[in-house]
Amino acid sequence: MKRKAIIFTGALLLTLAAVSMAFAFGGGNGRKGKFLYRKSCRSCHGKTASDLSPATKTQAEWTALFKDVSKLPCNKEWQGLPDKDLNDIFTYLHDYAKDSPTPAKCS
Amino acid sequence: MLARKNISMLGALLTCLAILASYPAISQAEEAKSFKKYPAIADYSLVAKYAKVPKPKGAMIIDSRPYKPKYVAGYIPTAVSIPASQFDKMTDQLPSDKGTLLIFYCGGLKCPLSHKSAFKAQALGYTNIKVYAKGFPDWKKHAPYYSVGLETLNKMLADGDDYMLVDARPHKKFLKGAIPSSISIPDRLFAQKRGLLPTEKKNTMLIYYCGGYKCLLSHKSAIKARALGYRKVMVAEAGYPGWKEMYGAGSGMVVQAGEVEGSIDVEQFKKALSENPEAMQVIDVRDPAEFSDGHLPGAVNMTVDQIEKNPEAIASDKPVVFVCSTGARSGEAYYMIREMRPELEEVFYLEAECSYNPDGSYDIKPNK
């Protein structure tokens, strides 16, 4: 019920704002995010790209980076990723950030 | 493990004292001489010729030690258990052809049981009898592997001992039902799936099984594992058919979901762990080093990386529960397996803070 209400409010706000950046991040499923990050991002990060883990950055830095994902250098690599999945990934990175209670590496 | 060793050492000590006390005049050498030895002796290479599957015709290897605790703890492959104390009652187990080669063995040079049984068989009219006088200790020293009874496996499972149990049958069979805590490495894919075996080769107990006494696959895999350098390799010859008969098949456990998506109700999990751990398949996704410092009874160790490489290794006959120390890695494993094995319906993870102790005890607190 609560989840629905949030999504609904979110949708409403978005429609009202009608901005180009399409998603408000936060409150996703961090457990699933850990898997999705492994699946969609670890193919490069940790191999051909920087070894990004939640603990690489602070919560504020993650929030800033995800404010406009179209500006991320690899954005076109994962264009097809649903916003919901990206939000789960953000939640994982953010909730286990360097300054979170439980900073996490990827392994 | 240590405790058990101490107890058996204490036992040995007490026995020695008892012997010394009752026969103060007999020295050890005299004691060894004090039983009549059967004249025809077999050595390791002869026994090895017959301790094989498929069983060579015209021979039978007989273990004269007590069934429990000796035989079940380890025996020469294909050997039949006829304890010396039960010999007269169990003569129907002997082959009807009196010309069959009978090889008796027991616990080594000081053990009289195999000699005693050999004389008895001779009296029954058997004409081709040998005693493998160096017995099981010698076998363990030279052979690539030995066999264990399911009773031993079941106890190790209940005690949460460190071992890796491998089903060498084709994957399809494994999916239909397997011994709890086992993983699937079909013999045919042995080389290809080598990466699933633990890296530690000296102390890891590797136990193979397949489709019962006539099945070759576990023996083949055991020999290959030994060739890779694993030192403690065993075969549970009775295999899955034997297990089903002794301990029953799948569980019928109905898992109650927890509050968080994909999680198991923590209270139900704890209850099942203490009452009926075999009803579910617990997969611990932490690193092998963490796992060997302590883990849940009956848990299998597979890291998320290993699962990703080999999602097929997870059986589907009972509910699967992933565990780690916080829920992070086990949650990751849960979402991964949902995607890689969508046909698996009963998959869960433990959303809880867990600590595991070397003695097998554990502490599980649900995450808020």
Side-chain angles (χ1 to χ4, degrees):
Chain A
M1 215 27 232
K2 210 163 153 197
R3 185 84 138 294
K4 249 189 204 148
I6 291 170
I7 292 172
F8 180 71
T9 334
L12 199 70
L13 281 176
L14 281 178
T15 331
L16 286 177
V19 285
S20 60
M21 43 164 285
F23 204 82
F25 284 107
N29 180 340
R31 298 287 190 237
K32 189 169 186 181
K34 183 167 163 63
F35 162 62
L36 292 169
Y37 184 70
R38 162 189 281 265
K39 186 181 144 204
S40 313
C41 317
R42 289 294 282 181
S43 49
C44 296
H45 287 283
K47 297 202 178 88
T48 56
S50 56
D51 189 5
L52 273 188
S53 282
T56 314
K57 295 182 188 297
T58 62
Q59 295 193 328
E61 284 169 333
W62 284 123
T63 307
L65 275 168
F66 275 72
K67 205 153 222 143
D68 188 355
V69 290
S70 67
K71 292 215 180 91
L72 290 179
C74 51
N75 178 256
K76 61 178 180 317
E77 303 290 346
W78 33 272
Q79 286 276 304
L81 204 67
D83 283 344
K84 188 178 169 309
D85 287 2
L86 196 57
N87 190 32
D88 290 344
I89 291 173
F90 168 77
T91 306
Y92 163 62
L93 295 170
H94 175 272
D95 288 4
Y96 296 93
K98 203 191 317 190
D99 55 344
S100 74
T102 46
K105 289 266 188 335
C106 275
S107 59
Chain B
M1 232 5 245
L2 253 179
R4 204 176 305 152
K5 237 187 224 150
N6 281 339
I7 288 170
S8 62
M9 238 154 78
L10 196 69
L13 203 70
L14 284 176
T15 320
C16 285
L17 284 177
I19 291 170
L20 282 179
S22 46
Y23 307 101
I26 301 177
S27 76
Q28 218 168 355
E30 273 169 313
E31 200 213 332
K33 269 188 236 152
S34 68
F35 63 86
K36 203 171 143 210
K37 297 212 175 70
Y38 194 79
I41 300 298
D43 62 1
Y44 169 75
S45 61
L46 180 80
V47 180
K49 240 167 74 186
Y50 293 103
K52 276 188 205 158
V53 178
K55 238 170 158 167
K57 289 212 168 57
M60 185 182 216
I61 303 175
I62 297 156
D63 188 322
S64 300
R65 300 170 304 161
Y67 181 74
K68 264 186 192 168
K70 291 293 183 186
Y71 178 81
V72 294
Y75 61 92
I76 298 180
T78 75
V80 178
S81 167
I82 305 183
S85 59
Q86 312 289 310
F87 188 90
D88 300 330
K89 277 186 258 168
M90 291 178 73
T91 50
D92 59 326
Q93 304 269 332
L94 295 169
S96 51
D97 177 3
K98 302 263 157 116
T100 308
L101 169 63
L102 301 182
I103 303 175
F104 291 92
Y105 75 90
C106 57
L109 291 172
K110 293 205 176 123
C111 170
L113 303 173
S114 50
H115 297 274
K116 254 166 122 173
S117 298
F119 283 117
K120 281 189 176 173
Q122 190 180 37
L124 287 175
Y126 286 90
T127 54
N128 193 4
I129 302 170
K130 288 206 155 46
V131 169
Y132 177 26
K134 288 185 179 165
F136 192 60
D138 189 59
W139 179 266
K140 259 175 114 165
K141 207 157 81 197
H142 296 290
Y145 68 96
Y146 60 91
S147 296
V148 290
L150 293 177
E151 292 90 341
T152 303
L153 198 56
N154 191 43
K155 183 162 187 315
M156 284 166 45
L157 180 73
D159 294 352
D161 284 358
D162 247 335
Y163 61 88
M164 182 165 196
L165 180 62
V166 181
D167 185 344
R169 298 173 301 165
H171 190 63
K172 261 197 208 137
K173 291 258 169 81
F174 175 74
L175 291 179
K176 280 198 200 128
I179 301 180
S181 82
S182 57
I183 68 159
S184 166
I185 306 182
D187 179 65
R188 202 169 50 79
L189 303 178
F190 186 93
Q192 197 180 322
K193 305 226 161 178
R194 234 164 71 169
L196 278 179
L197 296 176
T199 43
E200 206 287 316
K201 295 184 171 177
K202 208 164 141 222
N203 296 309
T204 301
M205 267 200 262
L206 264 185
I207 309 171
Y208 285 93
Y209 73 94
C210 58
Y213 291 103
K214 296 227 162 89
C215 173
L216 273 120
L217 302 172
S218 51
H219 298 270
K220 283 167 75 174
S221 285
I223 292 169
K224 288 182 224 171
R226 179 61 188 221
L228 279 184
Y230 289 93
R231 303 282 288 277
K232 295 188 178 166
V233 184
M234 284 154 240
V235 167
E237 295 185 322
Y240 186 61
W243 182 272
K244 231 165 56 182
E245 206 177 295
M246 271 166 96
Y247 304 107
S251 60
M253 173 171 169
V254 180
V255 175
Q256 240 171 294
E259 266 173 48
V260 181
E261 180 186 33
S263 67
I264 181 173
D265 181 85
V266 175
E267 283 315 309
Q268 187 199 21
F269 180 76
K270 288 211 269 199
K271 193 156 172 269
L273 260 192
S274 60
E275 289 170 9
N276 190 16
E278 276 124 76
M280 50 190 181
Q281 192 192 349
V282 178
I283 301 182
D284 189 326
V285 299
R286 294 173 304 148
D287 291 339
E290 299 174 86
F291 185 79
S292 61
D293 279 350
H295 54 82
L296 298 175
V300 196
N301 186 210
M302 270 180 106
T303 63
V304 182
D305 282 334
Q306 284 174 329
I307 296 170
E308 186 175 34
K309 282 190 205 108
N310 203 18
E312 300 300 321
I314 294 170
S316 59
D317 60 329
K318 17 182 111 168
V320 173
V321 184
F322 293 112
V323 303
C324 59
S325 37
T326 61
R329 286 174 285 180
S330 56
E332 182 180 23
Y334 164 79
Y335 284 104
M336 175 184 288
I337 218 67
R338 296 270 34 184
E339 185 161 313
M340 299 181 98
R341 295 278 305 277
E343 84 285 3
L344 282 185
E345 279 166 16
E346 296 283 288
V347 183
F348 303 87
Y349 78 97
L350 190 63
E351 180 63 63
E353 197 73 44
C354 311
S355 56
Y356 311 92
N357 305 315
D359 63 0
S361 63
Y362 50 85
D363 187 34
I364 300 175
K365 286 197 203 85
N367 288 334
K368 271 156 233 127

